[in-house]
Amino acid sequence: MILTLTLNPAVDTCYYVKTFQVNASNRSQRYYKTAGGKGLNVSRVLQQLGASVVATGFLGGLTGQFIAKELQKMALHSAFVPIKEDTRNCLAIVDEQGQQTELLEAGPTISPQEREQFLSLLTDLIEQEAIKVLTISGSLPGGLQKDFYKSIVEKAKAKKILTLVDTSGEAFSEAIKASPYLIKPNLSELEELLSKKIESEEDAAQALQELQTFGIENSILSLGAQGSMARCGNALYRVQIPSVEVKSPVGSGDAMIAGMAWAILRQECYEEMLRIGSTCGVVNAMNNKTGTLDMEQFSTIYRQIVVKRLQ
Ligand SMILES: Nc1ncnc2c1ncn2[C@@H]1O[C@H](COP(=O)(O)OP(=O)(O)OP(=O)(O)O)[C@@H](O)[C@H]1O
Ligand SMILES: O=P(O)(O)OC[C@@]1(O)O[C@H](CO)[C@@H](O)[C@@H]1O
């Protein structure tokens, strides 16, 4: 069983426009509302892959009710702590070139009682649900200490649960101190983490090498349409992806996490983990709805992914 954490979920609205203009009225004929926040995107993709998954986090207000209803419609196994403040809204605007602009609310503030309730729910889920893999995704809402993810990684590791962390800023720099099993920063997240520019494949390889000092087994640097680079154990990989018609790349990183979590649960080798994760990322980008895979496209793209070992 895979447990997904979404501590700061969001009602995601994705607007499609021909071209997006700043300081002008932009009209959209096509838009979708989804139960989002990175961890819920991960959960949806996992469900489509056929993995058994349980989602947890905080939900509040009418926005929280919308998400709960969506999860019910999908029959996604979930256990969320109800909170007093409203779950946030997030907007993404995608134009015909596939360029994406996001507007992300900070989200609610979690009270000390709600935090304690969550920690006790997490303990129960870990004890009762035979969790083998835990995905930790997205920003932290207010009211939680910056090392909250770090403490969760430690808690999971004590139970031999493999953790995948996909977050940013201080929550990320703290979490890696607990040596999660896998991290997947994108370029800007890795540059921020290491406080330096990454301008070439050599820079990327060196940055991934640097992460080894944190005792992280798998560090994946995702590069959008350019695929990814990864250090898994002692091996360095370059993953090449096919050029596809992009509808919306929003949530491709989350789809990639889902694919890798699924592969890890099935004890696949590093190459296969990278291939499945990359396939999910690409197929998500080929679809309008965030965190949605077309399984027919999956098999076609899977065959076109090239995982090259560099070292
Ligand atoms: N435009 C694209 N075309 C094809 N594949 C893509 C595209 N964007 C992303 N992908 C696939 O998804 C993977 C992850 O994407 P990306 O690096 O954009 O993650 P991210 O920045 O974490 O995304 P998000 O935060 O929106 O979830 C890439 O390594 C690639 O395999
Ligand atoms: O503010 P966070 O939690 O870092 O990111 C939130 C978010 O942008 O990430 C997903 C795309 O990856 C969207 O579903 C969501 O709105």
Side-chain angles (χ1 to χ4, degrees):
M1 174 81 89
I2 300 174
L3 175 63
T4 63
L5 222 68
T6 320
L7 299 188
N8 204 6
V11 174
D12 276 334
T13 308
C14 191
Y15 295 102
Y16 296 89
V17 294
K18 207 169 158 54
T19 48
F20 175 60
Q21 286 176 299
V22 181
N23 209 18
S25 297
N26 294 270
R27 291 186 191 271
S28 171
Q29 303 296 333
R30 213 157 37 94
Y31 36 88
Y32 296 100
K33 258 191 206 319
T34 47
K38 294 186 187 303
L40 286 177
N41 299 338
V42 173
S43 314
R44 253 197 319 281
V45 173
L46 279 170
Q47 201 186 35
Q48 289 166 82
L49 289 170
S52 39
V53 54
V54 53
T56 188
F58 299 102
L59 286 179
L62 289 176
T63 38
Q65 282 176 29
F66 169 84
I67 291 179
K69 267 198 206 139
E70 289 295 300
L71 300 185
Q72 225 175 12
K73 273 195 234 162
M74 295 161 50
L76 189 101
H77 183 19
S78 64
F80 277 79
V81 170
I83 54 167
K84 208 160 137 253
E85 293 191 13
D86 291 351
T87 290
R88 66 187 171 149
N89 285 291
C90 286
L91 304 183
I93 301 161
V94 178
D95 70 13
E96 274 188 353
Q97 281 73 51
Q99 296 188 106
Q100 146 192 359
T101 308
E102 291 186 47
L103 194 51
L104 312 176
E105 291 182 11
T109 297
I110 306 302
S111 72
Q113 293 89 320
E114 290 162 349
R115 185 190 61 218
E116 289 315 304
Q117 223 181 314
F118 170 76
L119 287 172
S120 121
L121 170 67
L122 183 66
T123 306
D124 291 348
L125 287 170
I126 287 177
E127 300 289 339
Q128 292 160 16
E129 299 279 1
I131 306 298
K132 297 272 180 286
V133 176
L134 167 66
T135 67
I136 299 176
S137 309
S139 54
L140 278 175
L144 302 179
Q145 327 77 280
K146 295 296 173 211
D147 63 356
F148 199 69
Y149 284 151
K150 174 173 173 267
S151 63
I152 291 177
V153 173
E154 285 163 351
K155 196 178 170 109
K157 281 177 80 173
K159 294 283 176 190
K160 305 216 178 327
I161 295 171
L162 300 174
T163 51
L164 288 77
V165 175
D166 180 16
T167 183
S168 51
E170 237 185 302
F172 188 32
S173 56
E174 282 298 317
I176 63 169
K177 292 180 188 163
S179 312
Y181 181 68
L182 182 150
I183 57 171
K184 191 221 65 65
N186 61 23
L187 193 60
S188 60
E189 288 159 352
L190 189 55
E191 287 182 338
E192 186 190 11
L193 180 76
L194 300 176
S195 309
K196 64 178 185 192
K197 281 295 223 192
I198 298 169
E199 290 171 332
S200 63
E201 282 196 11
E202 290 71 36
D203 289 354
Q206 208 189 337
L208 290 169
Q209 179 72 40
E210 240 179 88
L211 288 173
Q212 275 204 314
T213 54
F214 290 95
I216 301 163
E217 177 146 340
N218 298 284
S219 298
I220 325 298
L221 167 62
S222 69
L223 299 162
Q226 265 67 56
S228 56
M229 277 187 79
R231 182 163 277 285
C232 304
N234 291 320
L236 179 69
Y237 297 97
R238 177 74 175 96
V239 183
Q240 288 161 343
I241 59 170
S243 162
V244 294
E245 194 190 322
V246 174
K247 297 241 174 83
S248 165
V250 182
S252 277
D254 309 331
M256 188 175 189
I257 285 281
M260 292 193 292
W262 189 57
I264 289 166
L265 186 72
R266 290 154 46 109
Q267 300 184 313
E268 305 284 4
C269 63
Y270 296 142
E271 285 89 344
E272 188 60 8
M273 174 187 83
L274 294 170
R275 190 185 307 277
I276 295 174
S278 303
T279 305
C280 292
V282 176
V283 175
N284 176 75
M286 293 166 74
N287 290 281
N288 281 318
K289 278 198 177 173
T290 309
T292 305
L293 301 187
D294 172 333
M295 294 314 283
E296 270 177 37
Q297 288 171 339
F298 185 97
S299 4
T300 313
I301 298 300
Y302 175 85
R303 288 193 294 271
Q304 296 175 44
I305 303 283
V306 180
V307 181
K308 257 210 285 202
R309 185 164 175 175
L310 303 179
Q311 269 175 35

